[in-house]
């Protein structure tokens, strides 16, 4: 059994559920009917103005991405989309896809990468951090800059934890002209004391509930 990941916010380890489903399917699909799927996809699997690409991060991660051509040369802007902590290149409710397609019609070029450990990336999800996501975003920004003339200004669109990544990338790359921060988390002294108290109370309630679960004590006794 797995936690109800379909209604959870944040990263939930679903490998046990995936393994169980895969094993169940394997015994029900005849061997002759199984198809091997190649991954990663070709560097330029093009569908209209959208291209599936693979970006190599300097830290060794392979980042699947979708590049949306602007439909005009030079593009008016170049935009890099940065998902939240447990998000992927689609964005919540496909918001990055809708944004990129709308932007393409407006003459704006967009790149939507998966950070390492998220989406279609093959990295271990537990290896991801804000630092690793920032390094991957810098690699994606370099790829985006190579696709268009230097005259096109750069913008970063981040959501939730992606806003932290956007700030980190902009601090390293002064050529970024614009930050669009959706639902940014208040950080440091900007966070109200009432927010800290509310989060502390919520965490205390969560851990008190965990203390009452038999599974918690089994994990403690097994050293997990």
């Amino acid at each position: 059994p797995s936690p109800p990941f379909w209604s959870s916010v944040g990263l939930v380890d679903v490998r046990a559920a995936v393994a169980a489903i895969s094993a169940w399917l394997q015994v029900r699909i005849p061997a002759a009917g199984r198809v091997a799927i190649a991954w990663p996809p070709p560097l330029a699997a093009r569908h209209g103005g959208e291209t599936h690409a693979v970006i190599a991060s300097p830290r060794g991660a392979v980042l699947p991405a979708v590049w949306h051509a602007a439909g005009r040369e030079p593009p008016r802007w170049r935009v890099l989309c940065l998902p939240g902590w447990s998000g992927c290149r689609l964005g919540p409710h496909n918001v990055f896809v809708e944004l990129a397609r709308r932007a393409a019609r407006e003459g704006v070029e967009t790149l939507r990468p998966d950070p390492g450990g998220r989406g279609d990336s093959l990295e271990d999800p537990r290896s991801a951090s804000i630092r690793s996501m920032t390094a991957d975003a810098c690699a994606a920004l370099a790829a985006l800059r190579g696709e268009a003339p230097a005259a096109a200004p750069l913008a970063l669109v981040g959501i939730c934890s992606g806003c932290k990544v956007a700030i980190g990338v902009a601090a390293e790359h002064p050529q970024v002209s614009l930050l669009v921060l959706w639902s940014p988390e208040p950080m440091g002294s900007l966070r109200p004391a009432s927010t800290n108290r509310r989060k502390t109370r919520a965490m205390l309630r969560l851990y008190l509930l965990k203390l009452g679960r038999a599974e918690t004590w089994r994990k403690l006794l097994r050293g997990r």
Side-chain angles (χ1 to χ4, degrees), residues 68-85:
H68 296 254
R72 56 164 282 176
E73 289 293 339
R76 295 171 58 194
W77 281 83
R78 289 168 294 169
V79 173
L80 177 62
C81 292
L82 302 172
W85 175 247

Side-chain angles (χ1 to χ4, degrees), residues 143-174:
L144 180 61
R145 292 182 65 195
E147 288 289 348
L154 292 166
L156 307 179
V157 178
I159 187 165
C160 199
S161 292
C163 298
K164 295 180 182 178
V165 175
I167 293 169
V169 172
E172 296 184 28
H173 296 274

Side-chain angles (χ1 to χ4, degrees), residues 24-109:
W24 185 88
L25 289 172
Q26 288 298 316
V27 298
R28 285 161 177 80
I29 301 175
R34 298 174 190 165
V35 179
I37 300 174
W39 186 258
L43 182 61
R46 197 175 282 271
H47 301 281
E50 300 178 16
T51 302
H52 287 263
V54 176
I55 299 166
S57 174
R59 63 185 192 84
V62 176
L63 315 175
V66 177
W67 173 59
H68 296 254
R72 56 164 282 176
E73 289 293 339
R76 295 171 58 194
W77 281 83
R78 289 168 294 169
V79 173
L80 177 62
C81 292
L82 302 172
W85 175 247
S86 60
C88 68
R89 64 179 183 261
L90 300 177
H93 308 290
N94 276 2
V95 67
F96 285 153
V97 179
E98 295 297 327
L99 171 69
R101 290 175 177 171
R102 170 67 180 267
R105 295 194 295 269
E106 301 288 340
V108 176
E109 179 180 273

